[in-house]
Amino acid sequence: MPAGTLYRGREGMWSWVAHRVTGVLIFFFLFVHVLDTALVRVSPEDYDKVVAVYKTPIVALLEYGLVAAVLFHALNGLRVIAVDFWSKGPRYQKQMLWTVMGIWIVLMAGALYPVLGHAARELFGS
């Protein structure tokens, strides 16, 4: 496969950027998660305060963003694997990208209520 084939075109470039950005965001989340979990050993009271902050509507939006990042990163990663290891992958990379985006949109729509339902009830009442 010639150099640059995987990310040829505007869509490929943006999928490359989004894959890296989501990877960094997921890493950052995991780093913060390890730190806040370790806080329970240092100061259980501060840990309880942090957990209380996590129950706010703003953090619910951030959790939805985390779900978006993990789903995109995973689905796009499968597409990259297909492009790399399937002999016809480079030929169908654009179609696979649009398939990934379609699946991602459907899954994100399905995640709306489970992830943001509590925040909506808190903001607008039951």
Side-chain angles (χ1 to χ4, degrees):
M1 170 169 48
T5 301
L6 178 58
Y7 299 109
R8 184 169 289 153
R10 195 172 19 189
E11 299 90 356
M13 179 191 67
W14 285 114
S15 71
W16 182 88
V17 169
H19 197 74
R20 270 60 183 178
V21 168
T22 55
V24 168
L25 290 174
I26 294 165
F27 175 80
F28 178 71
F29 163 77
L30 290 173
F31 180 73
V32 170
H33 180 62
V34 167
L35 288 179
D36 70 13
T37 303
L39 188 59
V40 76
R41 307 266 289 156
V42 178
S43 173
E45 298 82 22
D46 288 338
Y47 175 79
D48 290 339
K49 290 176 188 174
V50 169
V51 169
V53 169
Y54 288 167
K55 295 177 183 177
T56 63
I58 299 232
V59 174
L61 283 173
L62 293 172
E63 286 176 345
Y64 190 68
L66 175 65
V67 170
V70 169
L71 282 176
F72 178 81
H73 194 80
L75 293 170
N76 193 54
L78 292 173
R79 182 188 71 86
V80 170
I81 289 169
V83 170
D84 285 347
F85 293 106
W86 180 36
S87 62
K88 295 181 183 179
R91 184 179 316 148
Y92 295 110
Q93 66 176 320
K94 190 180 281 191
Q95 292 89 336
M96 287 189 289
L97 176 60
W98 288 112
T99 301
V100 161
M101 293 306 297
I103 293 168
W104 181 77
I105 288 168
V106 168
L107 292 174
M108 288 307 297
L112 262 171
Y113 181 76
V115 177
L116 296 176
H118 172 72
R121 285 188 299 278
E122 188 174 311
L123 286 173
F124 306 113
S126 299

